Amino acid sequence: MYVCNCFGVTEAQVKKHAEDGACTPRQIASACKAGTDCGSCVRRIQALLGRGACPRPELVDRGEAAVALASGVGLPEAA
């Protein structure tokens, strides 16, 4: 299913970018331009990303989310 009709970006593509470390609509836009034209898809992108998807938001600001996700940094320890 298409999320962004302006640039032909699908749900699967957004999910793939999220798996690769994109945690915000802005990061998705950087990866594939979705959300940068008319903006009607931004809420759908937000819904696909969900809340709390990034373990360390301060790393998102520096573009290091993929490192944090890959290393498990900031994730709660298993009991």
Side-chain angles (χ1 to χ4, degrees):
M1 175 185 291
Y2 284 100
V3 172
C4 176
N5 290 321
C6 296
F7 293 104
V9 179
T10 65
E11 245 181 61
Q13 288 171 298
V14 171
K15 289 178 182 180
K16 174 69 173 123
H17 291 305
E19 288 171 10
D20 292 342
C23 298
T24 65
R26 182 170 286 170
Q27 290 175 334
I28 295 293
S30 293
C32 63
K33 294 179 129 185
T36 61
D37 194 26
C38 77
S40 66
C41 61
V42 173
R43 287 189 185 254
R44 179 71 181 134
I45 292 168
Q46 288 171 326
L48 288 170
L49 294 174
R51 293 186 181 258
C54 287
R56 298 201 41 204
E58 70 274 12
L59 295 179
V60 172
D61 296 333
R62 295 194 322 234
E64 299 176 22
V67 173
L69 290 171
S71 67
V73 173
L75 296 175
E77 298 273 334

